[in-house]
Amino acid sequence: MPTAIRNTLVAIALLALVCLAGCGDKRTAYGVSESNASWMTSTTNPVAGVDEAFVTLVTLQAGPPDGLQFVVWSDLRDAVFSGRGEGSVRGAFYEGHHRAKDGRHVDFLAKTTDGKSGIITIAGVDYDFSKGSLFLISTHQDPPTVAQIRLDLSGVSKPDEVKELGKSNPQVRGFFEKQKKADPK
């Protein structure tokens, strides 16, 4: 076999091996999904944030199809919500606002460039998603008090499912109960 043909066949075989190793199923997704829920439970001594709350569940997609999921959970009941975001090959962002009738509010802005890591800014403070993706916010003080919690949210697809965490997760319940005790009202 002539050398030129053999070299071409070897090059094609190597290219095929490289493609098999590195060109597999690399699905990508770009965009933002969000959903919101609020609740008020009739109880004699409600805990704001557990029995009365507003939750926003967001997924930022900038490459990996699973995206970067996070939850912003405030103690605001009857909040008005506004939010917007977008995702592309350059990254994804989401800007949201929980606003209560009495003037208390939570503003946040989340960004990722790779769909796996990123930063969220809540009330002017930056939080790295690598340290947790659940953000509990008490608006009893100004600026609001924020707790960042590392919790597996992979099984959570709707904000209504987050509500159960307030009942079952001691970190969530404990944060909001502590804020209630510290509230001078």
Side-chain angles (χ1 to χ4, degrees), residues 16 25 36 40 48 51-52 66-67 70 81 83 89 133 142 164 166 175:
D25 182 19
N36 302 286
M40 290 185 299
D51 300 312
E52 305 169 339
D66 292 343
F70 65 93
F81 174 79
V89 295
S133 56
D142 187 24
E164 296 306 312
F175 170 79

Side-chain angles (χ1 to χ4, degrees), residues 90-153:
R90 294 183 312 269
F93 79 91
Y94 187 83
E95 180 179 24
H97 312 276
H98 298 183
R99 299 204 185 282
K101 295 174 186 171
D102 63 8
R104 293 179 298 149
H105 60 90
V106 173
D107 301 320
F108 59 97
L109 173 63
K111 298 177 184 178
T112 180
T113 56
D114 61 6
K116 298 182 275 187
S117 62
I119 299 288
I120 184 170
T121 304
I122 303 173
V125 178
D126 291 342
Y127 299 89
D128 186 332
F129 283 117
S130 68
K131 296 178 181 172
S133 56
L134 174 60
F135 299 90
L136 307 177
I137 304 163
S138 170
T139 59
H140 291 291
Q141 301 83 26
D142 187 24
T145 303
V146 179
Q148 181 178 12
I149 297 178
R150 186 183 311 260
L151 191 67
D152 181 13
L153 298 172

Side-chain angles (χ1 to χ4, degrees), residues 51-109:
D51 300 312
E52 305 169 339
F54 196 92
V55 172
T56 300
L57 172 67
V58 178
T59 302
L60 301 174
Q61 294 176 308
D66 292 343
L68 177 62
Q69 185 181 42
F70 65 93
V71 172
V72 174
W73 182 333
S74 74
D75 61 2
L76 298 175
R77 66 176 195 169
D78 292 334
V80 174
F81 174 79
S82 63
R84 67 179 188 85
E86 70 179 50
S88 70
V89 295
R90 294 183 312 269
F93 79 91
Y94 187 83
E95 180 179 24
H97 312 276
H98 298 183
R99 299 204 185 282
K101 295 174 186 171
D102 63 8
R104 293 179 298 149
H105 60 90
V106 173
D107 301 320
F108 59 97
L109 173 63

